[in-house]
Amino acid sequence: MWKVGLVGTGYWSVHHLNAWKQIEGVQVTALCNRSREKLERRAKEFDIPDSALYASLEEMCAREDIDIVDIVTGPETHLAFVETAAKAGKHIMCQKPFAATLDVAKAMVRIAEERGVRLMVTENWRWLQPNQIIKKAIDDGLLGRLYNARYVHTDYYTPRMAPGVELPQPFFREMPRLLFYEMGAHWFDTVRFLFGEPKRLYAELQRVSPHIAGEDSGVVTLGYDDNFFAVLDMSWATRRELEGKPPEQVGPMHREQMTIEGEKGTIKLYMNGRVSFIDAAGVESTLEAHTELDHAESHCRLQGHFIDCLNRGAPFQTRGEDNLKTLELIFATYESAATHDVIRFPRSGS
């Protein structure tokens, strides 16, 4: 039985806690948060006793019956929390974005390695149902040689973040790097999962909404050595996929589409969740009639993978050192947008 202590009982923690409940051989034994109100609310939802609630991660990690620390907090806390958990000999699952700089991310990887504990970054987007289906189709050779991919994410979110409007994650308003830092961690990890490591990156970014500090729209082109390229067209400030007036409650809707062209045909992910294949003759057939950006279930797959790898001693798909490559793409996006230059990989010194 793997015993889990979770730190960070805010907005997204419910997905982690629900997933742990469904995985055999796992028990959540403690929760930690600075806010007593959020801590007690989650504890009540998941039947965690008051004696297992902590305001300090050091206190929680002093418990010998905790094997794993699940960090569900912002990146500014990650270095200190990873260091605390690693010193206590706990394996670590750490929320994305992993770190605000590459040096901090490398430090966390080094700390875990020196302390002999396992470290995985919580990148759930690759575990979403449509991305798993598309990955299998590519690996099965359905498309043959790949030509290009277009990945589109649309939302009408940031223009609705006016002061005083209640938001699930109000700190988004103040983030100097927003869309391709907060969500780019998902998108770049997914692109790497599907297509491997790019050799070139070029980015153009915009801030559309007056209510935020960072960017909320952008296009990134990733080039590969074999003449394949992928385009990421992402916006939290577009009306183009709205189906009527958005709901009064302001929150993300996360609508995604993807088209992947290959020598044998084309895979299309439609916004309604359908995944289809168009063969070389132009005949379209359905691979999956309906998929979802099933965040809750994706966490079951991700956290199940974490436990399975611990049990087998196998490497995590999104182990800390692998996530350094995702972070490189995130930070290169901002560099390219600022300088209007193409960024090439591998970078010197990386």
Side-chain angles (χ1 to χ4, degrees), residues 25-178:
V26 175
Q27 181 183 358
V28 176
T29 57
L31 299 178
C32 177
N33 202 76
R34 290 175 300 179
S35 165
R36 188 70 188 182
E37 179 186 355
K38 291 180 180 179
L39 186 61
E40 290 179 350
R41 183 169 65 245
R42 283 288 182 258
K44 185 176 180 180
E45 289 176 40
F46 290 92
D47 297 320
I48 307 295
D50 285 350
S51 59
L53 305 184
Y54 298 89
S56 158
L57 182 61
E58 288 81 0
E59 288 182 56
M60 188 178 80
C61 284
R63 288 180 55 152
E64 293 185 2
D65 63 342
I66 291 176
D67 309 298
I68 296 163
V69 171
D70 184 3
I71 299 172
V72 197
T73 57
E76 69 281 357
T77 67
H78 290 174
L79 177 59
F81 285 178
V82 164
E83 188 167 24
T84 297
K87 283 182 177 178
K90 317 299 185 186
H91 300 303
I92 302 161
M93 201 172 80
C94 183
Q95 185 59 266
K96 65 84 208 167
F98 188 35
T101 71
L102 207 54
D103 285 344
V104 169
K106 289 177 179 178
M108 289 189 284
V109 170
R110 184 177 63 251
I111 288 165
E113 184 177 356
E114 289 172 353
R115 291 288 175 169
V117 299
R118 304 287 302 279
L119 170 63
M120 188 180 93
V121 180
T122 309
E123 292 281 9
N124 70 301
W125 228 251
R126 68 167 62 198
W127 295 99
L128 292 168
Q129 186 184 20
N131 294 330
Q132 290 285 306
I133 291 167
I134 291 168
K135 173 65 171 173
K136 184 177 186 305
I138 292 171
D139 288 351
D140 288 347
L142 184 64
L143 296 180
R145 180 186 162 212
L146 301 181
Y147 294 149
N148 58 72
R150 289 171 172 81
Y151 187 7
V152 178
H153 177 107
T154 57
D155 212 332
Y156 191 56
Y157 189 16
T158 50
R160 305 169 66 217
M161 292 184 178
V165 172
E166 185 176 352
L167 300 175
Q169 292 162 297
F171 53 87
F172 282 173
R173 291 189 181 102
E174 310 302 326
M175 290 175 65
R177 298 179 298 190
L178 179 57

Side-chain angles (χ1 to χ4, degrees), residues 150-300:
R150 289 171 172 81
Y151 187 7
V152 178
H153 177 107
T154 57
D155 212 332
Y156 191 56
Y157 189 16
T158 50
R160 305 169 66 217
M161 292 184 178
V165 172
E166 185 176 352
L167 300 175
Q169 292 162 297
F171 53 87
F172 282 173
R173 291 189 181 102
E174 310 302 326
M175 290 175 65
R177 298 179 298 190
L178 179 57
L179 190 62
F180 282 90
Y181 181 61
E182 173 63 26
M183 290 297 297
H186 289 315
W187 299 328
F188 288 124
D189 181 71
T190 298
V191 168
R192 293 182 54 238
F193 172 60
L194 295 176
F195 309 122
E197 307 302 335
K199 300 298 183 182
R200 300 173 301 282
L201 178 152
Y202 180 77
E204 293 282 352
L205 305 181
Q206 287 182 332
R207 180 173 67 88
V208 175
S209 171
H211 308 310
I212 58 171
E215 85 292 349
D216 53 7
S217 185
V219 175
V220 178
T221 301
L222 301 171
Y224 290 72
D225 272 351
D226 55 1
N227 206 33
F228 171 77
F229 67 84
V231 176
L232 284 67
D233 177 1
M234 311 312 211
S235 179
W236 270 359
T238 178
R239 305 173 187 87
R240 70 180 187 238
E241 303 294 351
L242 283 178
E243 299 170 348
K245 185 179 178 181
E248 293 296 325
Q249 178 90 27
V250 177
M253 291 180 276
H254 293 330
R255 291 166 172 162
E256 295 203 342
Q257 303 167 71
M258 191 181 299
T259 304
I260 308 167
E261 306 277 2
E263 62 178 332
K264 296 180 181 178
T266 301
I267 289 176
K268 292 184 73 174
L269 168 64
Y270 289 88
M271 199 174 64
N272 65 6
R274 181 187 178 208
V275 182
S276 75
F277 174 68
I278 305 171
D279 67 19
V283 177
E284 185 169 8
S285 57
T286 298
L287 294 180
E288 192 74 33
H290 180 76
T291 67
E292 292 183 356
L293 300 184
D294 52 346
H295 301 112
E297 291 79 2
S298 74
H299 272 276
C300 292

Side-chain angles (χ1 to χ4, degrees), residues 296-333:
E297 291 79 2
S298 74
H299 272 276
C300 292
R301 298 179 196 114
L302 178 149
Q303 290 165 229
H305 168 75
F306 180 85
I307 294 299
D308 178 61
C309 290
L310 286 182
N311 287 333
R312 295 188 296 111
F316 303 128
Q317 285 190 27
T318 54
R319 58 196 181 278
E321 55 268 40
D322 176 83
N323 197 256
L324 298 178
K325 298 175 183 178
T326 295
L327 288 173
E328 274 196 308
L329 296 178
I330 293 172
F331 301 141
T333 295

